[in-house]
Amino acid sequence: MASDPIARSPTASYQFPDTFMWGAATAAYQIEGAIDEDGRTPSVWDTFTDLPGRVLNDDTGAIACDHYHRYVEDVALMARLGIKHYRFSLAWSRIMPDGRGQVNEAGIDFYRRLVDCLRDHGITPHATLFHWDSPQALEDLYGSWRSREMAQDFADYATAVVSRLGDRITHWMTINEIVCFTHLGYGVGKVPPHAPGTVVRSQKEVWQTSHHALLAHGLACQAIRAASATPCSIALVDNFSVPVPIAESPDHIAAAKRAFHTLGTNGGIIFPALTGAYSPVLLEQLGADAPDIHADDLNTIFQPLDALGFNVYTGNYVRAADNAQGFEVLPLSASYPRLNMPWLWVVPTALYWGIRHVSETLGRGNLPLFISENGCASEDILTPAGEVIDCCRIFYLRQHLKAAHRAVQEGYPLHGYFLWSLLDNFEWAWGYTRRFGLTYIDYPTQARIPKASFNWYCECIRQNRVV
Ligand code: GCO
């Protein structure tokens, strides 16, 4: 009711500014399928999924959501949802079968068709150049991310893509979640859960892979700007770890800021990307395990960005402590709420605190941000009437959107939100056992069934607020 003071208050009604970008996200290997069509060659994920026992149920991305053939139906679904922004990724080995050199125009054509279809529906494409599916050819040639050569090959791939698609795509994201395909793909001392699953000899070599990925990001930023015919927006997408102060008092907030340097891989990924230097606290901790950094590397890595994409699913509570580091990361008890992944502790305030850390801990308060992924796996219930009930997902998303609203209300430059994911899809080492979609995929028939959360998110978008 217009006269209701609560309905008119942006705080109480969780109203977003009119310019807020509502979107959804996917990634090539997780949805496309068609792994050997129109000239695509294997990525490291094709090789990895073919190894018995690496992926649950030995699932592979060979068919996935068959999006390669069903993209028209999927774009119609996006239009029905009401999103005006769609984040997807391009498969490097579709576009450059050898990872370098010759461009496969048929691969480009698929993305041209997809993007034209999006634009016909008034949906702005946001293209991620790399979402973990390195060409197997480069893994065979020089060990992909283990080599510095990968950075230049990635930049050349970026040039090939942007010079062909830059007339229709103006929102680019270079690389998605560096930690996952480097530290989790080459990690020491355990069977890595991610492709390529090559265990390197030392921590130093693991850090070297993420350093090469940072270089790839930096060189790609330069390549995109040089190749784009029109002014474009370039972002990095990162899932830095978020220390959440246990209480919002100055001592705990200060402790969370200290913790930010060494939590996860923050000090060696988001720090160099956004500040031009590895965190000194991390470097001291790493000692001889720090990567080799050439003279000009940090200048290359520290490129001007138009935005940061922040992928957020969970966080870590931190409190001030009377110890050498001045903070303590609090373990969560077994009874703490968690959704359908071992790491998916429900910590909605991590979304807000992540944004504040970018501003206050990294000193990048003017850098536009968007949430490039947020969502959850939940155990969806299929009713006999054919509905899919996923209340847990609605509750999870609602809490996170409220945290996003708080960030906007307090003046942080959060411009948009991409929900992960539009569709249930191939959840990496978990195969098809985990469902993150707003849309249920019945894999045997490939039927798309919008879940309860789809209708709920549709209403949030329509009303431009958290309903
Ligand atoms: C990511 C992952 C997605 C996952 C999602 C759920 O960027 O984190 O890229 O591909 O599917 O995060 O685990």
Side-chain angles (χ1 to χ4, degrees), residues 199-352:
V199 178
V200 296
R201 283 165 304 178
S202 66
Q203 275 299 333
K204 183 185 175 75
E205 286 181 44
V206 177
W207 280 103
Q208 205 66 56
T209 61
S210 50
H211 186 70
H212 294 152
L214 285 165
L215 278 177
H217 157 74
L219 292 174
C221 288
Q222 296 171 342
I224 296 168
R225 292 209 199 278
S228 179
T230 44
C232 61
S233 160
I234 304 180
L236 171 70
V237 177
D238 194 43
N239 59 335
F240 56 85
S241 299
V242 183
V244 174
I246 190 70
E248 294 190 3
S249 57
D251 53 340
H252 295 307
I253 292 174
K257 290 181 183 175
R258 279 194 291 276
F260 190 84
H261 289 246
T262 49
L263 202 63
T265 50
N266 290 356
I269 294 180
I270 197 69
F271 264 85
L274 292 196
T275 72
Y278 278 65
S279 156
V281 190
L282 174 76
L283 285 181
E284 197 184 322
Q285 225 178 57
L286 288 181
D289 286 332
D292 292 331
I293 301 173
H294 294 194
D296 214 31
D297 284 0
L298 288 163
N299 286 333
T300 304
I301 291 166
F302 184 43
Q303 290 296 312
L305 289 177
D306 302 289
L308 175 72
F310 171 32
N311 290 356
V312 59
Y313 292 89
T314 189
N316 297 89
Y317 291 110
V318 165
R319 72 171 167 217
D322 199 8
N323 57 21
Q325 53 185 14
F327 68 86
E328 187 180 9
V329 179
L330 299 171
L332 294 174
S333 70
S335 61
Y336 189 89
R338 183 170 61 78
L339 284 168
N340 198 18
M341 281 297 232
W343 48 264
L344 199 42
W345 308 104
V346 182
V347 186
T349 46
L351 189 154
Y352 167 79

Side-chain angles (χ1 to χ4, degrees), residues 81 454-465 467:
L81 181 59
F454 182 106
N455 296 328
W456 168 81
Y457 189 49
C458 184
E459 197 55 25
C460 290
I461 297 170
R462 200 180 67 77
Q463 297 194 29
N464 195 30
R465 67 185 194 90
V467 296

